[in-house]
């Protein structure tokens, strides 16, 4: 069997609950022995023959099944207890709104879902198994609900995390003692992001990670009885937070009036004006989003004298379904315009030197970087792309090496004609790219196969652009070997330094930490 974990069953040291494909290809679940891998089946099948996911409650009883036959055809089945019959509790076809499971209440009678709205961000809703209705619990004005926080001892939900510029918590159960503990820690560690990550079964001792834009993460053991926190270990302890650059959330309006959030990281000690800048679009693109916090790559670039701007262009997650769907069919179009508008906004603010701006990203971010140079040939001084896709006609038709991504991509493009795809594919626009280009790829990448980068380099060279390409043997969609990570970082730094001359005293190649 190929099984996926459903529940660790914390009161059982031998068995875990797993999901797997059973007889006749229908999803089922059973108990796996963690010592020998044997599975004891329950012979209980999913209520729907389509692929889907089971969810268990706080007693490790399977109570929900989520399945989606196609886009906007999501169905949620539930049952009042582990032996009851399945009932359809949500059908997306009736509303067009998406929902996703978040948590069960302490008594397992309520299940929390994040649910999209027709406009604006998602809300957190509670479904009651007894009354069989959904009720809004909390909804932010700007961003979607993030992690739902529950007490480690009794699974009582007490707060919801929101990433609205700086992360924050919205308390929904003020009487829960975890709220007081969290507030105390936030007062003890101001201007940081504090998250519980582990605890004892009785919840008396909890490990919290304290992190920020300048610290990778300090782990503390908090004793709820003594109300004291003991430092355990620091992530990336060799880095001095006092030497790291600060990240600031900002907002601007795109050309059509849509509000876009950006995160700006400026070199420490700079005056924040007329700086060489790197625009760093995130990957995905649909669903992922940039957020405030520590990012080693961003810190590296800022350390070398660059301002770095991360843009949550339309299509990004965290701002509601309508914001994400605004990016559908908009590769190289409105999504790209958001990056262009962000760049021009940074120039208008006096942050970026208009003659020293480059764009660099990975995966979709690599596509957007090359597309930016093709669409705005006078805006960027250079572009770099890592593990990118540059020929959309090829990427959408790729099914074998593409890991079955065809259907998802067709959803996002809605069967856009091949000619239209070619018009927003950098490989067919190489003649417009007049600036230096650096490309990197993984030899074994099945998400964005290395052929994409090879074709891009060939097209550029044919057009007279001597683009550089490095392919890392054995690597996939991003480097895993430290030596390759360091090599790529050094190549990119050298590429940017040659193109933009940041004039920063901090120089020299990266070396492995000893």
């Amino acid at each position: 069997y190929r099984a996926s974990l459903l529940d660790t069953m914390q009161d059982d040291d031998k068995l875990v609950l797993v999901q797997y494909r059973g007889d006749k290809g229908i999803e089922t679940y059973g108990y796996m022995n963690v010592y020998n891998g044997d599975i004891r089946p329950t012979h209980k099948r999913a209520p729907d023959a389509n692929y889907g996911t089971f969810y268990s409650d706080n007693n490790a009883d399977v109570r929900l099944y989520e399945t989606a036959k196609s886009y906007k055809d999501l169905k949620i089945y539930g049952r009042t207890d582990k032996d009851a019959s399945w009932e359809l509790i949500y059908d997306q076809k009736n509303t067009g709104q998406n929902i996703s499971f978040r948590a069960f209440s302490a008594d397992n009678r309520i299940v929390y879902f994040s649910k999209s709205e027709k406009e604006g961000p998602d809300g957190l809703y509670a479904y009651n198994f007894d009354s069989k209705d959904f009720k809004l619990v909390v909804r932010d004005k700007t961003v979607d609900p993030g992690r739902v926080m529950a007490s480690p001892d009794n699974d009582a939900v007490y707060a919801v995390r929101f990433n609205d510029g700086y992360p924050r918590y919205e308390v929904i159960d003020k009487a829960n003692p975890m709220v007081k503990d969290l507030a105390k820690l936030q007062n003890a560690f101001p201007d940081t992001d504090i998250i519980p990550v582990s605890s004892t079964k009785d919840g008396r001792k909890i490990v919290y990670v304290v992190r920020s834009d300048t610290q990778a993460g300090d782990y503390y053991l908090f004793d709820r009885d003594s109300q004291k926190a003991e430092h355990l270990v620091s992530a990336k302890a060799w880095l001095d937070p006092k030497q790291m650059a600060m990240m600031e959330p900002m907002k601007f309006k795109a050309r059509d009036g849509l509000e876009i959030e950006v995160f700006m990281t400026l070199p420490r000690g700079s005056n924040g004006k007329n700086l060489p800048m790197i625009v760093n679009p995130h990957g995905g693109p649909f669903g992922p989003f940039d957020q405030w916090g520590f990012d080693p790559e961003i810190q590296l670039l800022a350390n070398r004298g660059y301002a770095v701007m991360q843009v949550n262009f339309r299509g990004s997650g965290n701002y509601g379904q309508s914001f994400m769907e605004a990016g559908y069919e908009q590769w190289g179009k409105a999504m790209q315009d958001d990056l262009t508008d962000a760049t021009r906004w940074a120039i208008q603010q006096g942050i970026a030197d208009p003659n020293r701006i480059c764009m660099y990203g990975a995966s979709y971010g690599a596509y957007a970087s090359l597309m930016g140079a093709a669409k705005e040939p006078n805006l960027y001084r250079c572009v770099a792309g890592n593990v990118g896709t540059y020929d959309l006609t090829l990427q959408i038709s790729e099914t074998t090496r593409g890991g079955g991504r065809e259907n998802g991509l067709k959803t996002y493009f809605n069967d856009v004609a091949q000619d239209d795809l070619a018009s927003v594919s950098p490989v067919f626009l190489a003649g417009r790219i007049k600036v230096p280009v650096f490309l990197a790829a993984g030899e074994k990448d099945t998400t964005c196969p290395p052929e994409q980068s090879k074709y891009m380099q060939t097209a550029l060279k044919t057009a007279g652009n001597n683009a550089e390409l490095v392919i890392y043997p054995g690597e996939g969609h991003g480097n895993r070997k430290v030596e390759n990570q360091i090599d790529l970082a050094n190549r990119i730094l050298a590429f940017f330094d040659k193109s933009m001359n940041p004039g920063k005293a901090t120089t020299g190649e990266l070396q492995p930490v000893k």
Side-chain angles (χ1 to χ4, degrees), residues 80-95:
T80 54
D81 60 64
K82 64 179 180 178
D83 297 316
S85 299
W86 290 103
E87 298 179 46
L88 182 64
I89 64 174
Y90 189 80
D91 188 344
Q92 190 180 17
K93 283 188 174 181
N94 295 331
T95 65

Side-chain angles (χ1 to χ4, degrees), residues 344-358:
R344 290 176 174 156
W345 169 84
I347 295 172
Q348 293 169 357
Q349 298 300 305
I351 298 171
D353 178 349
N355 297 312
R356 292 189 296 167
I357 302 174
C358 288

